[in-house]
Amino acid sequence: MFSSKTYQDYRFFCLAFAVLAMLALWVRPTQDQARPVYNYTFIIDITRSMNATDYKIGDQPVSRLQYVQYSLRGLLAKLPCQSKIGLGLFTERRATLLFEPIEVCQGFNEIDTALAKVDWRMAWAADSRIASGLLNSLTLLQQRDTNLVFMTDGQEAPPVNPRYRSDFSALKGKVPGMIVGVGGLQAVPIPKFNTRGEPDGFYRADDVPQRSTFGEADLNPEKIPGYNARNAPFGDATAVGNEHLSALQESYLQDLSLATGLSYQRLTSADAWADALQSPTFAKQQRLHVDVRWQAASVALFCCLLVYVPLGKMRLKAV
């Protein structure tokens, strides 16, 4: 049995504790905790096959490059503070850094704006030498304390000559990170643009090289129709193929992951991919001053709620 005075005192003490807890918020209490942080440098393929449309955001069809941007901007919002992101682009056979890794919370607006502005028109050459670009990226980052994330559909243009594959042996395992396969497994047309950057249909078979004509042919001369060592080392037969269409070259990228020591992940869902990049494999434990104002705020809220909660099914005895 509680008197009405006791009930009033009870509410007074609840409000007093709530006020004290609220005052603690102004002190900005922190706690030293070990937290996982991440350091990534993303190299994005901006060659023309990345304009192929085989993703959707909601019900809206988008290109591979647009989905990469969407996924990266979503990841940016999920990474814990003190994590860092760097950004670079790949085309032809080289990668170039736009900026070194910067802290995601303080640099959020700058990183997000840079990701939104990435465009295929920033390409400085038309070819797409995936293996060479990956080798160049590894060389670029081997002295930096960062994880490489190389994002590409894996389509070599022109097709790679097996005689001249890139040699990753000197860099295998030197740079941690991931190759991200972008695109669908079903071949789709590659959009074509005019000199003003306006859509102009799709590439046709005779618009793109259907085979490599670099170096020596990978076949015996006797097996090459019309072979001539000087004038037609690849023969005189018209090459046929589907290089004007584009699909994710997953098996090729998986081979590159084995050759480089990088892991492989297909970009099927932005959320699933963000979870993969926040795995312990890529994390570094760092002691941080973590904001714990939420604890004081929770106490204040709880005390305020108690003011409005009756003390059980009791009968108050009038004083």
Side-chain angles (χ1 to χ4, degrees), residues 185-213:
L185 299 177
Q186 182 175 352
V188 296
I190 302 173
K192 191 176 182 180
F193 299 86
N194 60 25
T195 55
R196 295 184 297 275
E198 300 165 340
D200 190 22
F202 298 94
Y203 283 97
R204 298 173 300 179
D206 56 356
D207 289 327
V208 300
Q210 296 292 342
R211 68 181 177 194
S212 173
T213 56

Side-chain angles (χ1 to χ4, degrees), residues 203-318:
Y203 283 97
R204 298 173 300 179
D206 56 356
D207 289 327
V208 300
Q210 296 292 342
R211 68 181 177 194
S212 173
T213 56
F214 171 77
E216 298 180 8
D218 61 327
L219 295 175
N220 238 317
E222 293 82 6
K223 296 182 179 181
I224 304 175
Y227 172 82
N228 181 286
R230 176 179 177 182
N231 299 319
F234 289 85
D236 59 1
T238 301
V240 295
N242 294 313
E243 295 300 319
H244 58 295
L245 303 175
S246 181
L248 169 62
Q249 304 299 305
E250 188 159 56
S251 60
Y252 180 51
L253 293 179
Q254 289 171 336
D255 288 342
L256 290 178
S257 76
L258 291 174
T260 58
L262 300 171
S263 64
Y264 173 78
Q265 176 87 20
R266 182 181 170 196
L267 180 58
T268 54
S269 160
D271 291 335
W273 179 66
D275 290 342
L277 283 177
Q278 294 179 83
S279 74
T281 304
F282 302 111
K284 285 190 175 180
Q285 293 296 322
Q286 185 172 325
R287 298 204 70 81
L288 305 173
H289 294 298
V290 180
D291 189 338
V292 291
R293 285 179 294 175
W294 65 271
Q295 296 176 352
S298 299
V299 171
L301 178 61
F302 180 71
C303 290
C304 288
L305 290 175
L306 285 179
V307 171
Y308 299 98
V309 176
L311 292 176
K313 295 181 178 180
M314 58 189 174
R315 291 174 298 174
L316 299 178
K317 183 173 70 176

Side-chain angles (χ1 to χ4, degrees), residues 3 44 95 156 158 180 192 257 301 310 312:
S3 68
I44 303 174
E156 297 263 3
V180 179
K192 191 176 182 180
S257 76
L301 178 61

Side-chain angles (χ1 to χ4, degrees), residues 40-46 50 65 68 72 85-91 94-99 115 118 124 130 133-134 136-138 140-141 146-153 178-180 182 273:
Y40 290 115
T41 297
F42 294 94
I43 304 294
I44 303 174
D45 183 349
I46 57 170
M50 292 290 285
L65 183 55
V68 165
L72 280 173
I85 281 183
L87 183 63
L89 305 176
F90 156 73
T91 188
R94 287 191 303 113
T96 186
L97 285 179
L98 298 182
F99 54 83
L115 289 170
V118 170
W124 52 88
I130 304 298
L134 178 57
N136 180 249
S137 299
L138 292 168
L140 191 65
L141 299 179
T146 186
N147 293 288
L148 167 64
V149 182
F150 192 81
M151 310 189 71
T152 179
D153 56 18
M178 175 188 294
I179 297 174
V180 179
V182 183
W273 179 66

Side-chain angles (χ1 to χ4, degrees), residues 151-167:
M151 310 189 71
T152 179
D153 56 18
Q155 182 163 357
E156 297 263 3
V160 66
N161 186 333
R163 281 183 180 267
Y164 302 96
R165 292 186 182 276
S166 297
D167 182 8

